[in-house]
Amino acid sequence: SSQELHRGFEASPKPSVSGFQPLLTDPTGNFSLSFLRVNGTRLALAVVHVPSAQPLWVADPPRPARWSDRSTRLSFNGSLVISDPSSGVFWSTGTDGDRVVLLNSSNLQVQKQSDGGGGTPVVVWQSFDFPADTLVENQNFTAAMSLTSSNGLYSMRMGSDFFALYANFGGDSDQMYWKHKALEAKAQVVDGAGAVYTRVDPGGFIAMYQNGSVPVDVEAFNSFQKSIDSFLLLRLESDGNLKGYYWTGSTWATNYRAISGSCELPSPCGPYGLCSADGTCSCLDNRTEARPGSCSSAPGSGDFCGGGAGSGSGGFSVLRRDGVELPYKELMGYASVPSLDDCERACESNCSCWGAVYSNATRFCYTIDYPIQTLLEVADETKIGYFKVKPAPAGKGKGYEVGFGVGVLMWVLLGVAAVAVVGLVGYRVWKRRGGLKGHLAGEDGLAAGPYKDL
């Protein structure tokens, strides 16, 4: 690896490398632009934290390259390009630069030399403008950017005076499930004075700024105002939580959690799951045990007004459950309706509605326009859920209804077998003690009959 890439550079992945293959390093040696092996077969171009082999930035090609394909190449001829002769270009910076450098902040830059060659190079592209799932210290996060979890389900975005987390569960739009608004304790957000942006500060906090160096909000890490001389980062995890970390020299230590309770995560128990106060999972259909994703394998999208099998006119059955609540209802829209029946009818007639939760106390009706995720179990049985359930895909021996039916059948067969065994043993005992004649002899008293021990 080197500390600069110039026009004409080319490199190919080595199939023998099991982790990452450095191509470019920063002046400190802490960071490296590398070919990164992902899940054994995929090839990624990433900026890696060398001591931990942790990727901090990953190029996002629409078609992932294969690690074992020796014809895959990274080249630089004004643009950084990942390509191969048969498939063409996987990913490109689309620039006209002169060199590629990696700064000691982990920022990868394509630079163009100014006219005459003596001035400060112009940055024509940088990885800090295109974060993946991670923000590092001193990296600005603006409304033009988005953090996306590695599984693609969750994202973090900026608003006018807040940053928030969103889930993409397959509905018409993303659902906000966590929001942090600027408290404006030291400075005010002024309309028309510029966009608000966020930055991870080395002092141990996330700050929102509008203009100048005075933040409009500070969200503290555990290390805030403590003398920790370490590299900080903020990552959107695959469970939807936003976490802060610092490097101890040997491991990444958790420094911040946006969401503290497991039941407050967007879907800790998976679709049609139920999360109790102690963090255990069950299923909305009253099955007592559940693993994330095991309560339903029905399709995650579709039109409920179309035909098909099921008890509903749109090819669905209905599941009702008392004592349930949405984990982020304060961030959802609702309507005030007179009764539970009105709430259910509003969802039933809506082709894109997957369910509704109604409170008899407030008469608020929360409709759900995305596939049903984890609900909260509450003691208040006046909070009632109405959920549409699609049948399992045809031809598959698994699924929400099929799996449950097979389980019931197995228990019925086991019960029949148990009854048969008990009956056979009882018959043999009864016959040994005199059969019908002995039983009639003791008809006037249990002590004289064959069941005197009972």
Side-chain angles (χ1 to χ4, degrees):
S1 63
S2 62
Q3 292 190 7
E4 285 189 10
L5 304 181
H6 296 274
R7 285 175 176 263
F9 167 84
E10 283 191 354
S12 295
K14 298 177 181 178
S16 60
V17 176
S18 60
F20 63 95
Q21 177 185 336
L23 306 169
L24 176 69
T25 58
D26 79 303
T28 67
N30 287 326
F31 309 106
S32 168
L33 174 66
S34 302
F35 284 132
L36 179 68
R37 187 169 183 172
V38 181
N39 297 329
T41 59
R42 282 188 54 201
L43 173 67
L45 181 67
V47 173
V48 175
H49 180 253
V50 174
S52 65
Q54 179 69 45
L56 305 177
W57 171 86
V58 179
D60 185 25
R63 296 176 296 132
R66 293 287 177 180
W67 180 268
S68 58
D69 190 350
R70 299 190 182 199
S71 63
T72 300
R73 268 181 198 283
L74 175 69
S75 59
F76 178 65
N77 193 16
S79 292
L80 270 177
V81 179
I82 303 174
S83 64
D84 72 46
S86 60
S87 301
V89 174
F90 289 103
W91 174 85
S92 172
T93 57
T95 54
D96 181 22
D98 296 318
R99 65 174 185 170
V100 182
V101 297
L102 183 60
L103 306 185
N104 60 8
S105 61
S106 79
N107 190 10
L108 179 70
Q109 291 185 343
V110 178
Q111 299 178 349
K112 187 173 183 62
Q113 192 63 45
S114 60
D115 294 339
T120 302
V122 176
V123 178
V124 294
W125 181 94
Q126 59 180 359
S127 61
F128 270 21
D129 291 339
F130 303 93
D133 62 356
T134 302
L135 290 177
V136 300
E137 59 184 48
N138 294 320
Q139 178 180 2
N140 290 344
F141 182 73
T142 70
M145 304 174 188
S146 175
L147 283 191
T148 304
S149 61
S150 59
N151 56 11
L153 286 178
Y154 308 108
S155 62
M156 170 179 158
R157 300 197 289 268
M158 288 296 304
S160 58
D161 59 353
F162 65 90
F163 61 93
L165 303 179
Y166 300 82
N168 179 10
F169 290 132
D172 294 335
S173 60
D174 291 351
Q175 172 62 51
M176 182 189 296
Y177 63 89
W178 183 87
K179 178 180 179 180
H180 180 76
K181 189 177 184 299
L183 296 179
E184 304 180 73
K186 294 184 177 181
Q188 303 295 311
V189 176
V190 180
D191 291 341
V196 175
Y197 63 94
T198 297
R199 185 169 65 226
V200 178
D201 193 280
F205 57 90
I206 313 167
M208 277 190 272
Y209 298 91
Q210 186 178 34
N211 288 306
S213 58
V214 180
V216 297
D217 183 77
V218 170
E219 176 81 339
F221 284 0
N222 295 338
S223 61
F224 182 52
Q225 296 182 336
K226 296 179 182 178
S227 56
I228 295 180
D229 184 15
S230 183
F231 186 71
L232 299 177
L233 61 83
L234 189 69
R235 174 171 289 116
L236 183 56
E237 303 289 1
S238 58
D239 63 359
N241 208 349
L242 183 67
K243 293 184 180 180
Y245 300 90
Y246 70 91
W247 178 245
T248 66
S250 59
T251 187
W252 290 101
T254 304
N255 204 16
Y256 169 78
R257 293 174 189 265
I259 300 173
S260 56
S262 60
C263 285
E264 298 170 13
L265 293 170
S267 191
C269 301
Y272 293 87
L274 189 65
C275 194
S276 63
D278 61 0
T280 58
C281 292
S282 59
C283 295
L284 285 172
D285 69 350
N286 283 325
R287 283 185 286 173
T288 56
E289 295 182 3
R291 299 181 307 277
S294 68
C295 294
S296 171
S297 60
S301 61
D303 182 5
F304 283 103
C305 291
S311 61
S313 59
F316 61 89
S317 58
V318 171
L319 172 65
R320 292 177 174 86
R321 178 70 185 247
D322 296 344
V324 295
E325 191 169 58
L326 292 162
Y328 34 82
K329 66 176 185 178
E330 66 278 1
L331 299 174
M332 297 185 67
Y334 63 88
S336 182
V337 298
S339 68
L340 172 63
D341 289 341
D342 292 299
C343 182
E344 290 190 2
R345 278 195 294 268
C347 181
E348 183 181 16
S349 61
N350 188 335
C351 299
S352 61
C353 180
W354 284 78
V357 177
Y358 180 75
S359 172
N360 278 323
T362 62
R363 295 184 180 179
F364 289 167
C365 177
Y366 297 87
T367 55
I368 304 168
D369 62 356
Y370 52 83
I372 303 301
Q373 300 300 311
T374 301
L375 276 292
L376 298 180
E377 185 178 28
V378 295
D380 187 355
E381 294 188 354
T382 65
K383 296 180 178 179
I384 303 168
Y386 163 90
F387 310 108
K388 296 176 181 178
V389 181
K390 289 199 167 189
K396 295 185 178 180
K398 297 179 181 179
Y400 183 81
E401 293 83 359
V402 174
F404 184 66
V406 170
V408 170
L409 179 60
M410 288 180 65
W411 280 110
V412 169
L413 292 175
L414 288 172
V416 170
V419 170
V421 171
V422 171
L424 179 60
V425 172
Y427 171 75
R428 289 177 176 176
V429 171
W430 175 73
K431 184 176 181 182
R432 188 171 61 249
R433 295 184 178 182
L436 179 62
K437 185 177 180 180
H439 173 68
L440 293 175
E443 196 172 35
D444 293 334
L446 286 177
Y451 307 112
K452 62 184 178 63
D453 293 335
L454 302 177

